[in-house]
């Protein structure tokens, strides 16, 4: 009874926050660190090794054991003094060979993959990228295109000695049409910088990620990044209107259209969205940006069961409708890691599941009323056990950090095996439960969080140290489980180096063969981001 | 003064309609014919002939004069008795050779393009499509994939004697997930039937077209149809989640994913969206459907200038925000044709420009308030001269018909030269004005209407009869004008037969060459929908 009263009171407090006259208070007192930090590095480790079993997809046998391991180096040329002289001439001061400066470009942010490139090129223009690729293609030098290097599947760093082609200095905004909301910019613009630029002009980017402070828009497009706003604004396949891409032979493909509609022939830019730099180097992007909402609210709720969490999701879709802009979740294990490693206190009472709901709309009063009605219904129907609401910017950030900083908390928990699974939404937590049961006490933590609205689960498993036996217990179990539910083994992270050989769990052999044909057509020497995305049996 | 009073009163009447207590009245008294009619045929004509000048795009010369004319027949095989016997065996009763039955499949709905196919195949399953294509590819028989045959650029009918492969009998809904809103169905489902199916389940299709009563979802996807809801729900590149496609050699490519996110390799389905049947035959579609809005309002407004119409658009984006679902326009010439040919009376006073605004949302009261505030602001700032509002379904349809039936009205006005242009939104009406001035009294009517929110103008020019001199005055003027504004010469209709050779006005030569490579890779014999989409200089 006291519990119910406490809950009701807290929610009443929360609901009061919806009133335009009392937006300044909040139950959130979480200690905050800067939101848009560069993700910290884990202790260095060498390759992950996977053991891949005989799972069949359309009769295709998985290629080999240790499928995540690096394949042998392909017979590309190695950099000579003549090569260096050429690059130093065309990129004065921007052809980097200093080992210390190369270090951070050779290692991914998880420090799980390490290359040994001896050359980092930092072009500023499309023409420079074209000259570089034409030369590399002629010389048979492999190239690793690199944006903000925030990828999670080993796609953004060299595997051996590939030349690193960084977009870091290609960071100019080219045009912005304030009537249509269409932005064009170079590929190396940092997502957060674009967001800030747009917010000054009453627009926002259609995507938002935890890595926004580092990731480049070109990398976002190359990996078809999903993130926190996909539920509302859709995928980059819909919002990216145009691309400029340099092909492997140095040809510049100008598809940098700035129109919402263009049905003149095949939509070639789509090929490069999500191809992880294996088909071309994206040098410029045009993207449709939504108007900045006039009203944003964030709610943090607790649910007793995942079923209730899903019912709450359905309720929110109906009652929040067009203002619902995010429906994210984390489980109590995530909360434990946030408490333990980042000292972030739980803003509500302990529950098995937590939800972050964001609304954004054009009318604060209407949005507040919709949210009020939704919360009242969620409480009275006992879908939700506890909750708190934030309307102020700092409080909103504090609540969001409970979701966004789970990744960071995990890095403090131990060696992390990360999975990014797409499933029919009603199945997403069953995988976590089954995995926990399957692993027993072999894992330190098994946590689930992610984007409920998109059917996207981030399942992470930690261990005190790298543990091949644990990995052998996780894989292929997780891939088989996912395939049996017609899910995707990579919802938004891509395949990169780590997941390339597991592609057959989600794609039939005909599709993979067609990918190989497209790769051969666009990059016949295979110089662009080798060892990534495509499985080894196509090499 | 009386005029202002009349306007104000009419708008007050209109605004009253927003009240939930008086939704039954309306100023709209338009005589309605069934909304979802099959479009009527024009009197039969033969080929359109265009004269194409030397316009350069990236230094590429346009291929030849009469660029819209049919090229010579390519050296495909012709149907033999053995072929007929084979098709009759695999498709008992569904291999049609009767000339009368073939007639409507050989002619497009505008009756502007006529083929001479002697065989119409009506498969029911993907396996049958696969068998057909494998056989045709082996025999070097050209194939014209056909959905509802509602295309406007001569893409949906044979040019010579291609075998017509109709999806009409592939009309089963396969699955619908009421939690996620993901529908999978065969390609031959009629768009309107899908809409009705979904509406019973509280969902809607993410696209809506005037041709919904006839067009097939497979054809919609193959042509990347835009339509009336694109402003709100985005393009098919974002909403189509998966496709099943049969390739030219009969291989079935299963990309029929039913997940919102899947980053396992290249997004191959994108290649087929908008490729107009030239790369494969779409046999099944999975698509993300939005929840059915609980509240829909439609407003019909009049503006004195196009500048005011654009300012009203900007105002509506800000004040209607997330509930704005369409912003369409027509000019006074369109209204004249609606009055004259269809006897549809103007629901408001005469104005140079008319706007149809649709809102859809989850809360009738909130939506009504937003609309009220917007209309009040639009009136008091004199952006809008007159207007009326509808909240009832029949009245909503009546107002929509003023926009949707312009195409029909044009068919009664004479021979129509149709253009579908994408431009930066602030430029779209300038093209109409310039065209009128350019043509002088050579044209009967020059009318402009379309999707303001998408920057998409439908410019139509009528003449008492087919008039090569008039056409020579329109083209290449219109394409050069569009290219000089960085527009697209086909926003949503595609290139088909009629526009294929004008592709260089909107695509650089590298992109067209890459299209040719993709075509050669997927359909090496070129049997799929020959003479369409790709320019003749690639043949």
């Amino acid at each position: 009874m006291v519990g119910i009263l406490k809950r009701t009171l807290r929610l009443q407090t929360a609901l009061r926050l919806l009133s335009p006259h009392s937006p300044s208070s909040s139950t959130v007192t979480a200690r905050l660190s800067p939101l848009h930090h560069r993700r910290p590095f884990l202790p260095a480790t060498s390759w992950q090794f996977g053991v891949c079993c005989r799972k069949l997809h359309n009769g295709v046998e998985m290629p080999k054991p240790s499928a995540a391991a690096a394949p042998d180096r392909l017979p590309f040329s190695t950099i000579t003094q003549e090569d260096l002289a050429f690059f130093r001439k065309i990129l004065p001061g921007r052809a980097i060979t200093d080992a210390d400066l190369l270090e951070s470009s050779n290692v991914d942010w998880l420090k799980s993959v390490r290359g040994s490139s001896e050359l980092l090129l930092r072009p500023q223009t499309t023409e420079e990228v074209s000259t570089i690729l034409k030369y590399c293609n002629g010389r048979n030098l492999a190239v690793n295109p690199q944006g903000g290097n925030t990828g999670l599947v080993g796609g953004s760093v060299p595997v051996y000695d590939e030349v690193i082609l960084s977009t870091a200095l290609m960071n100019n905004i080219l045009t912005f049409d304030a009537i249509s909301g269409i932005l064009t910019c170079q590929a190396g613009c940092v997502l957060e910088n674009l967001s800030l630029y747009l917010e000054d002009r009453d627009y926002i980017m259609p995507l938002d990620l935890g890595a926004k402070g580092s990731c480049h828009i070109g990398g976002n497009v190359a990996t078809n990044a999903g993130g926190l706003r996909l539920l509302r604004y859709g995928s980059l396949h819909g919002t990216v209107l145009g691309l400029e891409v340099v092909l492997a032979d140095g040809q510049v493909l100008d598809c940098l259209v700035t129109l919402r509609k263009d049905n003149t022939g095949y939509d070639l830019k789509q090929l490069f969205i999500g191809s992880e730099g294996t088909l071309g180097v994206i040098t410029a992007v045009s993207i449709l940006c939504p108007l900045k909402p006039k009203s944003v609210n964030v709610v943090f709720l607790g649910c007793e069961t995942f079923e209730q969490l899903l019912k709450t999701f359905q309720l929110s879709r109906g009652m929040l409708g067009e203002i619902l802009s995010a429906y994210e979740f984390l489980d109590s294990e995530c909360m434990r890691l946030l408490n333990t490693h980042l000292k972030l206190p739980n803003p509500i009472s302990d529950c098995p599941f937590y939800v972050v709901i964001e609304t954004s709309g054009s009318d604060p009063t209407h949005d507040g009323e919709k949210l009020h009605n939704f919360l009242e219904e969620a409480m009275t129907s006992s879908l939700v056990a506890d909750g708190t609401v934030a309307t102020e910017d700092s409080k909103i950030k504090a609540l969001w950090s409970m979701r966004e900083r789970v990744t960071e908390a995990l890095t403090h928990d131990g060696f992390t095996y990360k999975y990014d699974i797409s499933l029919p939404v009603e199945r997403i937590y069953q995988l976590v439960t089954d995995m926990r049961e399957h692993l027993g006490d072999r894992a330190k933590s098994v946590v689930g969080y992610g984007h409920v609205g998109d059917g996207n689960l981030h399942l992470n498993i930690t261990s005190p140290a790298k543990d091949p036996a644990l990995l052998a217990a996780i894989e292929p179990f997780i891939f088989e489980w996912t395939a049996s539910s017609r899910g995707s083994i990579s919802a938004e992270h891509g395949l990169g180096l780590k997941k390339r050989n597991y592609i057959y769990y989600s794609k039939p052999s005909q599709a993979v063969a067609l990918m190989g044909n497209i790769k051969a057509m666009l990059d016949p020497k295979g110089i662009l981001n080798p060892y990534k995305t495509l499985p080894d049996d196509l090499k």
Side-chain angles (χ1 to χ4, degrees), chain A:
Chain A
M1 186 64 195
V2 173
I4 292 171
L5 191 65
K6 185 182 145 211
R7 264 189 254 156
T8 309
L9 277 174
R10 192 196 299 269
L11 206 64
Q12 282 171 346
T13 310
L15 294 176
R16 271 203 308 277
L17 295 177
L18 294 170
S19 152
H21 305 298
S22 61
S24 58
S25 63
S26 167
T27 59
V28 181
T29 54
R31 208 185 67 187
L32 288 178
S33 70
L35 246 194
H36 314 317
H37 56 280
R38 169 115 196 151
R39 289 157 156 176
F41 276 23
L42 275 176
T45 62
S46 57
W47 298 108
Q48 281 197 330
F49 285 84
V51 178
C52 189
C53 86
R54 305 286 78 91
K55 168 68 181 62
L56 305 180
H57 186 119
N58 286 10
V60 174
E61 196 152 329
M62 289 301 293
K64 59 175 189 178
S66 301
D72 292 339
R73 184 184 183 282
L74 292 168
F76 296 111
S77 304
T78 50
I79 295 278
T80 63
Q81 285 306 314
E82 290 71 31
D83 297 329
L84 284 181
F86 174 81
F87 290 123
R88 284 179 179 138
K89 190 175 166 199
I90 62 159
L91 302 169
R94 292 178 285 124
I96 315 294
T97 53
D98 182 280
D100 288 344
L101 294 175
L102 273 160
E103 170 66 11
S104 66
S105 296
N106 261 316
V107 183
D108 71 327
W109 84 265
L110 284 172
K111 289 209 172 179
S112 63
V113 180
R114 181 184 295 280
S116 52
S117 177
E118 295 177 355
L119 179 61
L120 164 66
L121 303 179
R122 292 156 63 95
Q124 291 172 325
T125 66
T126 301
E127 293 66 34
E128 287 177 353
V129 175
S130 170
T131 306
I132 291 166
L133 289 187
K134 187 176 178 189
Y135 184 89
C136 289
N137 197 51
R139 277 278 294 124
N140 196 33
L141 287 166
V143 176
N144 164 236
Q146 189 174 79
N149 194 10
T150 60
L152 296 167
V153 288
S156 59
V157 289
V159 175
Y160 293 102
D161 58 343
E162 298 92 284
V163 174
I164 303 171
L165 194 167
S166 165
T167 51
L169 300 184
M170 301 182 70
N171 55 4
N172 291 313
I173 290 171
L174 304 175
T175 62
F176 179 65
D177 181 336
I179 295 176
S180 62
I182 297 168
L183 173 81
T184 62
C185 63
Q186 284 190 296
C189 291
V190 171
L191 179 60
E192 187 171 36
N193 294 344
L194 294 177
S195 294
L196 295 172
Y197 173 89
L198 289 172
E199 283 182 24
D200 285 346
R201 288 153 183 83
D202 271 337
Y203 280 89
I204 59 170
M205 286 296 283
L207 77 161
D208 187 26
L209 312 176
K212 61 191 149 208
S214 304
C215 64
H216 295 185
I217 186 68
N220 295 148
V221 175
T223 58
N224 188 30
L228 306 167
R229 291 180 182 158
L230 189 132
L231 178 68
R232 175 70 167 270
Y233 301 113
S235 88
L236 292 172
H237 286 287
T239 51
V240 170
L241 301 180
L243 291 180
E244 180 188 70
V245 181
V246 181
L247 303 180
D249 63 2
Q251 259 198 88
V252 179
L253 185 68
D254 175 7
C255 299
L256 199 58
V257 172
T258 53
L259 302 163
R260 278 204 75 165
K261 286 177 169 175
D262 176 25
N263 272 357
T264 54
Y266 308 157
D267 194 353
L268 299 172
K269 70 170 185 284
Q270 299 288 352
L271 264 182
F272 302 94
I273 301 175
S275 65
E276 302 186 71
T278 62
L279 297 179
V281 176
I282 294 168
T283 47
V285 173
S286 82
I287 190 163
L288 183 66
C289 302
L291 278 175
K292 184 178 171 182
K294 290 175 189 146
S295 148
V296 176
N297 298 297
V298 170
V299 196
F300 194 86
L301 302 175
C303 293
E304 293 296 342
T305 66
F306 198 75
E307 200 187 346
Q308 288 180 342
L309 182 148
L310 287 181
K311 284 185 180 159
T312 308
F313 174 52
Q314 287 301 89
L315 187 72
S316 74
R317 290 185 74 200
M319 297 188 70
L320 298 175
E322 62 279 1
I323 66 166
L324 179 65
S325 56
Y327 193 100
E328 304 282 312
F329 94 101
L330 48 149
D331 65 11
S332 58
E333 279 293 275
C334 292
M335 183 60 79
R336 186 177 60 78
L337 301 187
L338 290 168
N339 299 162
T340 308
H341 301 300
L342 305 182
K343 311 297 175 208
L344 289 180
N346 185 347
I348 61 174
S349 57
D350 287 347
C351 290
F353 298 97
Y354 303 94
V355 181
V356 181
I357 299 176
E358 185 189 77
T359 66
S360 36
S362 60
D363 187 311
T365 308
H366 291 166
D367 293 4
E369 279 178 22
K370 285 189 177 82
L371 195 54
H372 179 280
N373 294 340
F374 158 69
L375 290 172
E376 199 166 62
E377 176 66 25
M379 279 300 284
T380 54
S381 57
S382 296
L383 294 178
V384 161
D386 197 4
T388 182
V389 181
T391 53
E392 250 195 5
D393 203 42
S394 64
K395 303 299 187 304
I396 284 173
K397 284 184 175 168
L399 286 186
W400 258 122
S401 71
M402 302 305 291
R403 165 65 185 83
E404 290 192 304
R405 296 186 70 193
V406 173
T407 313
E408 183 188 346
L410 278 158
T411 63
H412 295 278
D413 200 54
F415 187 90
T416 309
Y417 295 95
K418 302 183 83 68
Y419 299 92
D420 166 40
I421 305 289
S422 198
L423 288 167
V425 65
E426 60 275 22
R427 296 278 290 158
I428 65 175
Y429 204 74
Q430 191 59 47
L431 176 54
V432 183
T433 309
D434 288 1
M435 181 62 82
R436 255 184 216 132
E437 191 178 314
H438 174 70
L439 294 180
D441 55 11
R442 283 180 287 188
K444 184 177 175 192
S445 307
V446 177
V447 314
Y449 60 100
H451 319 283
V452 175
D454 314 327
N456 184 183
L457 169 73
H458 296 309
L459 171 55
N460 284 244
I461 299 153
T462 64
S463 163
K466 198 162 155 287
D467 180 350
L470 175 61
L471 183 60
I474 301 170
E475 300 176 7
F477 176 86
I478 188 167
F479 301 130
E480 291 180 348
W481 198 105
T482 302
S484 72
S485 296
R486 285 194 69 109
S488 166
I489 62 138
S490 183
E492 60 177 11
H493 291 172
L495 296 172
L497 175 75
K498 292 181 185 174
K499 303 280 163 77
R500 72 196 185 287
N501 284 328
Y502 304 117
I503 190 171
Y504 295 101
Y505 285 106
S506 291
K507 282 259 194 309
S509 56
Q510 290 93 335
V512 179
L514 179 51
M515 283 175 57
N517 292 343
I518 292 171
K519 172 73 175 175
M521 179 181 71
L522 282 169
D523 180 17
K525 293 185 175 179
I527 64 162
L528 285 175
N529 225 10
Y531 324 109
K532 318 283 175 63
T533 313
L534 299 150
D536 292 346
D537 60 6
L538 277 182
K539 295 277 162 58

